[in-house]
Amino acid sequence: MVTNDSLPKLLRALEMIYSDFSRIDQYHVIVDEFQLIFTDSRFKASTELDLVINLQNFSNVTYVSATPMMLEYIGQVPEFSSIPFYRLNWGTRVFKPTITRVKSSALYNFALQEITAYKDGVFSHTRINNLGQEVTSKEITFYVSNIGLITRIIKSAKLNPEEVNIIVSDTPDNRRKLKQLGKGFEIGKAPLRGESHKMFTFCTRTTYVGADFYSTSAITVVVSD
């Protein structure tokens, strides 16, 4: 299992193991969330181009995504235009959430209002789950692309480390910024199935794709300008 930019390294390692490239061609490659090849090309075009070029060495490649690019765009790319496309119909098993747009004069104002209400025990968000049961939200997951805004919200809301899970890329700069919040604040991770959840979770783009928090009651707030 490798990231897009590590596939060339994997190929070099396999070439060291197998002197005959036909052995490598027996691998079946699965590219998950393949739409990122297109969207990420804005800022790392050479990485995505190298991925597509290297994948031409394999006879068996499957591109998978729950949010694929539209066919009219894929058809204009030679590497994708001639391959078969399958769409899976999940029928009634797909649950589409209700999306509410809220305009705010400042990005953090709405977040602070929601955090204050939850800390005060005012849980007003309810929904009906797939079993027809009413579920009241007691957790919030904020998606915020700016770690500076995350730390500002946490400071303004006076959250402590026991209340908040901060999921960002593990970089020296991000660790330094979280240390400025005080003792106990560190880079967290999405809880696995059965693990305890904190009331507030903040995520940057590092978990925008393919993350499952296994929460039965969290609402999602996308903070975007």
Side-chain angles (χ1 to χ4, degrees):
M1 183 177 292
V2 296
T3 56
N4 288 1
D5 56 348
S6 294
L7 181 62
K9 299 176 183 178
L10 174 63
L11 285 175
R12 288 196 296 269
L14 292 176
E15 288 171 354
M16 293 175 64
I17 298 173
Y18 304 121
S19 57
D20 182 4
F21 191 84
S22 64
R23 295 281 301 277
I24 303 177
D25 189 51
Q26 295 176 17
Y27 280 77
H28 191 142
V29 183
I30 299 176
V31 184
D32 194 21
E33 303 292 356
F34 84 91
Q35 81 282 357
L36 295 180
I37 294 175
F38 301 91
T39 58
D40 286 358
S41 292
R42 292 173 297 174
F43 59 92
K44 51 176 183 177
S46 59
T47 296
E48 303 305 329
L49 182 60
D50 287 345
L51 171 71
V52 173
I53 292 174
N54 279 296
L55 288 174
Q56 306 308 306
N57 294 319
F58 294 92
S59 300
N60 300 299
V61 180
T62 301
Y63 300 91
V64 183
S65 175
T67 53
M69 299 290 289
M70 289 185 288
L71 283 176
E72 51 264 40
Y73 294 119
I74 297 177
Q76 296 181 40
V77 182
E79 288 80 6
F80 294 89
S81 60
S82 61
I83 60 178
F85 185 90
Y86 299 92
R87 183 185 300 274
L88 300 181
N89 183 358
W90 295 95
T92 58
R93 288 175 290 177
V94 176
F95 178 79
K96 295 183 178 181
T98 301
I99 300 175
T100 304
R101 295 174 182 263
V102 178
K103 289 186 177 181
S104 179
S105 58
L107 285 177
Y108 60 87
N109 282 347
F110 177 73
L112 290 179
Q113 293 172 9
E114 291 293 304
I115 290 172
T116 299
Y118 272 62
K119 290 186 69 173
D120 292 342
V122 181
F123 306 113
S124 59
H125 297 287
T126 61
R127 69 173 180 86
I128 306 300
N129 65 15
N130 291 338
L131 301 177
Q133 302 166 330
E134 186 177 81
V135 177
T136 299
S137 171
K138 294 185 179 180
E139 302 170 19
I140 307 181
T141 299
F142 292 97
Y143 285 91
V144 189
S145 59
N146 186 334
I147 188 171
L149 181 57
I150 291 176
T151 57
R152 184 180 180 184
I153 293 172
I154 292 174
K155 285 181 179 178
S156 300
K158 295 181 173 59
L159 296 177
N160 60 58
E162 291 71 33
E163 295 175 305
V164 60
N165 186 11
I166 308 169
I167 307 176
V168 297
S169 296
D170 191 357
T171 65
D173 186 51
N174 285 347
R175 290 195 295 270
R176 177 182 58 81
K177 291 178 179 178
L178 292 186
K179 281 185 178 180
Q180 294 174 357
L181 288 173
K183 187 177 180 179
F185 287 96
E186 56 186 20
I187 297 175
K189 64 181 183 66
L192 300 177
R193 189 185 299 274
E195 293 183 347
S196 61
H197 292 237
K198 295 182 179 180
M199 181 175 284
F200 307 107
T201 299
F202 288 89
C203 307
T204 56
R205 193 181 181 279
T206 190
T207 55
Y208 276 11
V209 181
D212 193 336
F213 292 90
Y214 297 106
S215 174
T216 58
S217 70
I219 65 167
T220 297
V221 177
V222 180
V223 182
S224 172
D225 60 357

